[in-house]
Amino acid sequence: DSRWLDVSISLSMYSLVWRTFSWSLDAFDTDVSTLRDTSTWVIHGTNIMSYLGLLLLVFFPPVYIVQTIVLTLRAHPAHFVDHIFVCAQFVVAVLTTISNFSGTVDLVLVPLVSDLLLHVWQWCAVLSACVAVLALPLYITASGPRVWHMLWLPCVVCSASASDLSLVLQAQDASSLLSLGFVMWGASIISGVCFAVGHIRRSLRSFELPTLISPLSVVSQLALGIMALGVQSKRVWGGTVGPATAPLLLGELAMAAGAVLGLVLWAASAAWFVNAHVLVAWMQWSHGSSGWSISVCKVAYPVASFTMATIYVARVWSARSALVCSQFLIAYLSFVLLIVPVARAAVSTARLIRRMCKKRVTSDRRLPTYGTIQSM
């Protein structure tokens, strides 16, 4: 069972959302920035979630690898597709952890941690490329409906995490890393968007919220990745002259391109986020279909990705309306991750207690009385 990966990704993404939101407040006035200093409980909570996600990521892979090897020897070759999806999910979890901890590394530990994180990122980039290469052959040969756009998600997340990792690298390494990030972003945009649109067409038959908003994972990460690469390019390539056809500084050129492309992709994500919720609400009102059954981990990552992209739009474009939208999305994400599991646990506990009470009542009714024992 690979649900531990969903939990690890959800915890890491939630803490990363709060860190990015805190960083984004610096683009606005001091009155808003004071909220970050007073919310110490938020900082401690995100740190706890970060280390919990890292603990799941460190503890479970050896167990899962042994289990996968044993099952592969007995399983049908069709299960190879499932292993590819789990591999893609594992790469996304590792890259999310890298992004989460890149901005919190102490300056004293930067020389030690940067090399380790860079090697891990390189291996994740290789695995992401292998998964993307195998995606189309598997799509042609495999049977059954699957979320195929998730196989291009590792490449997209790899490009976004390259921008975060560049913060702890030397200038030369950071420049090479950003170049690879742009290459991986460009290599995954066409396939990722095409298969995300195909998934939207198929999901219109189910009207379930987790299925409808799943494409937000890829499209929002594409918007987030290009804007993050543009922001860090302005820092790393600030004094580098661009090509002769565009006599601008390369950092400014990348920043402008990232801002425009990111805004377009974010607008597409925002439109589908609203349309998906309106569609589920409309089907609930008109046909009585219950599409609000929320699978916490399946909803958390698309919403968290869209929230991160919204925060970057607020940062890059200095848009206070986007900052307000990101606050609403953080509240939505907090409700999904915190309130929904607690409510479900309470409902399950109440049902269990009721069931135990019913069993006890029925067993008491079946016990023989003193008169029946005398007659026997």
Side-chain angles (χ1 to χ4, degrees):
D1 194 356
S2 60
R3 282 180 294 182
W4 57 273
L5 276 174
D6 293 329
V7 177
S8 176
I9 293 173
S10 299
L11 292 175
S12 297
M13 281 296 292
Y14 186 66
S15 58
L16 186 59
V17 163
W18 276 108
R19 294 185 194 281
T20 309
F21 179 73
S22 176
W23 165 76
S24 177
L25 289 177
D26 295 335
F28 298 90
D29 55 20
T30 55
D31 295 335
V32 180
S33 299
T34 53
L35 296 174
R36 180 187 56 187
D37 300 328
T38 57
S39 304
T40 55
W41 64 273
V42 173
I43 297 175
H44 294 304
T46 53
N47 288 332
I48 292 173
M49 289 190 176
S50 300
Y51 286 109
L52 284 176
L54 181 63
L55 181 63
L56 289 173
L57 196 59
V58 171
F59 177 74
F60 280 98
V63 179
Y64 184 80
I65 290 173
V66 173
Q67 180 185 4
T68 302
I69 293 174
V70 174
L71 292 177
T72 304
L73 297 176
R74 303 178 180 178
H76 192 268
H79 289 275
F80 176 73
V81 180
D82 298 330
H83 298 330
I84 295 297
F85 273 91
V86 173
C87 180
Q89 199 175 5
F90 177 73
V91 172
V92 171
V94 174
L95 292 172
T96 305
T97 305
I98 291 176
S99 298
N100 195 14
F101 285 95
S102 295
T104 60
V105 177
D106 191 81
L107 294 177
V108 180
L109 300 176
V110 165
L112 300 175
V113 178
S114 59
D115 292 336
L116 175 62
L117 293 179
L118 181 59
H119 286 300
V120 174
W121 186 90
Q122 290 172 347
W123 279 104
C124 289
V126 172
L127 288 175
S128 302
C130 293
V131 171
V133 168
L134 292 174
L136 282 177
L138 292 176
Y139 173 74
I140 298 296
T141 58
S143 60
R146 296 178 185 273
V147 189
W148 291 105
H149 61 269
M150 299 300 289
L151 293 182
W152 281 274
L153 183 62
C155 285
V156 181
V157 178
C158 201
S159 64
S161 63
S163 63
D164 296 323
L165 185 56
S166 65
L167 295 170
V168 296
L169 296 178
Q170 299 295 329
Q172 185 176 0
D173 295 333
S175 178
S176 302
L177 186 66
L178 288 178
S179 300
L180 288 175
F182 277 107
V183 169
M184 299 199 73
W185 185 89
S188 57
I189 180 172
I190 295 178
S191 301
V193 171
C194 289
F195 277 86
V197 172
H199 180 83
I200 290 175
R201 294 184 61 183
R202 292 190 301 270
S203 64
L204 290 177
R205 304 172 184 176
S206 62
F207 306 112
E208 294 181 356
L209 185 61
T211 306
L212 286 172
I213 67 172
S214 177
L216 289 179
S217 301
V218 175
V219 182
S220 297
Q221 284 289 336
L222 283 169
L224 169 64
I226 194 61
M227 285 189 288
L229 288 171
V231 169
Q232 298 305 324
S233 296
K234 185 178 181 180
R235 179 182 62 86
V236 176
W237 296 333
T240 305
V241 179
T245 55
L248 297 173
L249 294 178
L250 187 58
E252 295 180 357
L253 183 64
M255 177 72 180
V260 174
L261 290 174
L263 183 64
V264 172
L265 291 169
W266 173 83
S269 301
W272 182 243
F273 179 83
V274 174
N275 287 333
H277 286 77
V278 170
L279 178 60
V280 173
W282 177 266
M283 295 303 296
Q284 174 73 30
W285 175 71
S286 60
H287 295 83
S289 60
S290 57
W292 296 108
S293 57
I294 295 178
S295 177
V296 174
C297 293
K298 290 183 179 180
V299 172
Y301 189 80
V303 174
S305 300
F306 179 58
T307 305
M308 291 276 293
T310 306
I311 294 172
Y312 262 87
V313 168
R315 169 74 179 188
V316 172
W317 291 92
S318 298
R320 192 174 295 275
S321 58
L323 185 68
V324 174
C325 291
S326 65
Q327 292 174 339
F328 166 75
L329 291 170
I330 290 175
Y332 182 175
L333 186 61
S334 302
F335 173 78
V336 171
L337 284 176
L338 303 178
I339 305 299
V340 172
V342 172
R344 287 183 176 176
V347 172
S348 300
T349 304
R351 289 178 179 175
L352 180 62
I353 294 174
R354 184 186 302 175
R355 196 177 303 163
M356 293 175 62
C357 293
K358 287 183 178 179
K359 288 183 179 180
R360 186 171 182 179
V361 170
T362 55
S363 61
D364 290 341
R365 290 177 179 175
R366 292 177 181 178
L367 288 176
T369 59
Y370 180 76
T372 58
I373 294 177
Q374 288 284 342
S375 62
M376 292 174 63

